[in-house]
Amino acid sequence: MTVLDARALNRATLARQLLLDRADVPVLDAVAHLCGLQAQEPQEPFVGLWSRLHAFDPATLSDLLTGRRVVRTHLMRRTVHLLTADDVLAWRARHDAMLRQRVLATYRRELAGVDLDELTAAGLAVMSDGEPRSMPELARAVAGRWPEPGPRPLGEMLVAALIPMVQLPPRGLWRTKGGVRNVPLATWLGRDIDPPGANGSDANGSDANGSGANGSGANGSDAAGEALVRRYLAAFGPAASADLRAWCGLAGLPAAVAAVREELVTFRDERGRELLDLPDAPRPDPGTPAPVRFLPAFDNAILGYQDRSRIIDDAHRGLSVTGARVVLVDGRVAATWTVTDGTVTVTPLRRFSRAERTGVADEAEALASFLSDNESQRAEIAAPLG
């Protein structure tokens, strides 16, 4: 079996993530190809798309949000993602059990004794008037029936798990601040999420007898899971099953992987892990030059893997979960960046060569121009850390 070293995996990841060459594709198609963008920080997806697309206009993404073709919602790993409306409707039921379990992992003691079906019904009754509500407002509206848990556990369970919600604009619009106001996905989009039966699972991710935890139905099918496997590999492959789980948070995908395995090709990494991939997906020559790219906080090019060594050194892995914005040099995380008063400041994690420094400075100036609507091209490179 062919072994792919870290550089080969790096170049494949950059190609799949549209970071090797900026793509000439519509913004909606890019969001769909990337399986969504992590978006708990509302402005970060704009930088992520600027680094991936030619002539990216942030107003286009804002228009997709107000036009209800892209939404902000809790999905993969119970984090807020920016997804196409079609994808969230197709995938939401497949994530139900995981979302409940992750909220319970935090609030199991507080929510002990709360019937989640009754809580769901109460929350839907409150939201049936179509009025947007913040999480605390929704929690207070049902707290009279369940006073002991407190508003935070009730609110998180309702908004992040029990009721498929969307965060309304102006939250997430370009250069716009707005608090989180939620409405049910079905209300906002005018369409219901795909029914669990269409995904081969009931609302708890169990089979028809309630015995399975892998999301497959009585006939063993898991159409939504199989689609997730294919889409993940198109955007992140080659990758191991553990990487797939780390990206979506779903533990119950072995049956889906098994169902599509005959469609896939396999490799091994230098650790001996089996890697799965789509046969015709791009795997560039490891010697392919990689341009400087600036990534936003929590970019999925890094967070989309259990083993992130293909793109970030283990010594710097913590940056990927603390919200640091990073710079890729020769395809790997080599610096962090911040922006203050129109100036992009880069802090290297190692010394740059003269050519690397020039490349980083040029891209930092272009980013400063993008973030300031062409009012500033100021960029600074600080001394390397340590």
Side-chain angles (χ1 to χ4, degrees):
M1 191 179 294
T2 302
V3 174
L4 300 178
D5 63 17
R7 190 174 178 88
L9 292 175
N10 175 269
R11 293 316 192 248
T13 295
L14 297 180
R16 311 293 173 89
Q17 286 286 306
L18 313 181
L19 292 167
L20 198 57
D21 296 293
R22 281 187 166 96
D24 285 309
V25 299
V27 173
L28 184 67
D29 292 351
V31 175
H33 169 75
L34 296 166
C35 303
L37 294 92
Q38 193 151 327
Q40 63 263 51
E41 298 293 336
Q43 295 297 299
E44 299 302 298
F46 291 94
V47 175
L49 289 170
W50 174 83
S51 289
R52 290 170 162 92
L53 301 179
H54 279 295
F56 169 63
D57 181 356
T60 303
L61 181 57
S62 290
D63 289 345
L64 289 170
L65 281 159
T66 57
R68 311 187 188 201
R69 302 187 70 190
V70 167
V71 299
R72 292 172 50 84
T73 188
H74 290 87
L75 200 67
M76 283 77 81
R77 307 184 304 279
R78 196 171 71 90
T79 53
V80 176
H81 274 69
L82 194 73
L83 297 126
T84 69
D86 288 342
D87 280 345
V88 74
L89 292 171
W91 294 348
R92 181 52 168 81
R94 190 59 180 82
H95 288 73
D96 276 355
M98 178 272 292
L99 294 170
R100 291 187 183 203
Q101 290 160 4
R102 293 212 169 194
V103 177
L104 286 173
T106 303
Y107 298 114
R108 190 173 300 276
R109 180 178 59 81
E110 291 87 343
L111 293 171
V114 175
D115 185 304
L116 297 185
D117 290 337
E118 292 182 8
L119 179 59
T120 303
L124 287 171
V126 173
M127 300 301 299
S128 65
D129 61 6
E131 290 297 316
R133 287 176 173 83
S134 67
M135 182 188 298
E137 287 170 344
L138 177 56
R140 287 194 295 268
V142 301
R145 187 168 173 184
W146 295 279
E148 275 129 30
R152 185 76 186 189
L154 291 172
E156 288 209 26
M157 180 56 82
L158 284 166
V159 170
L162 297 182
I163 303 175
M165 293 280 202
V166 58
Q167 296 183 356
L168 290 189
R171 184 75 169 176
L173 299 184
W174 174 239
R175 302 184 74 179
T176 302
K177 294 183 179 180
V180 178
R181 308 286 289 176
N182 305 284
V183 296
L185 270 166
T187 301
W188 180 245
L189 298 178
R191 292 183 284 164
D192 290 326
I193 66 172
D194 287 356
N199 296 330
S201 63
D202 69 18
N204 295 315
S206 302
D207 65 23
N209 299 315
S211 60
N214 62 5
S216 58
N219 61 1
S221 66
D222 183 7
E226 292 164 23
L228 282 167
V229 173
R230 296 187 188 97
R231 294 279 298 278
Y232 172 77
L233 292 176
F236 294 88
S241 294
D243 296 318
L244 170 64
R245 290 194 301 272
W247 166 70
C248 64
L250 299 175
L253 288 174
V257 171
V260 302
R261 181 174 282 275
E262 289 188 0
E263 306 172 16
L264 308 178
V265 292
T266 57
F267 304 93
R268 293 207 180 273
D269 64 14
E270 293 175 299
R271 295 169 49 192
R273 300 189 313 160
E274 180 186 57
L275 305 177
L276 306 172
D277 205 9
L278 303 173
D280 299 325
R283 290 179 288 277
D285 185 291
T288 303
V292 172
R293 290 289 185 257
F294 281 66
L295 298 185
F298 307 113
D299 194 277
N300 276 354
I302 300 174
L303 294 187
Y305 301 95
Q306 185 272 331
D307 180 2
R308 300 170 187 166
S309 62
R310 67 178 67 196
I311 198 167
I312 187 169
D313 294 343
D314 286 343
H316 304 309
R317 182 183 174 106
L319 295 173
S320 62
V321 295
T322 58
R325 298 156 162 174
V326 299
V327 185
L328 303 183
V329 179
D330 193 27
R332 299 188 62 79
V333 173
T336 61
W337 67 274
T338 58
V339 59
T340 304
D341 297 329
T343 300
V344 172
T345 300
V346 177
T347 303
L349 301 172
R350 60 168 176 81
R351 292 190 179 278
F352 291 158
S353 69
R354 181 175 296 178
E356 288 173 338
R357 189 178 182 88
T358 298
V360 169
D362 289 346
E363 191 74 355
E365 290 172 2
L367 177 59
S369 179
F370 168 73
L371 292 174
S372 67
D373 289 342
N374 301 316
E375 293 182 1
S376 168
Q377 290 185 318
R378 296 189 299 275
E380 299 176 350
I381 299 180
L385 287 176

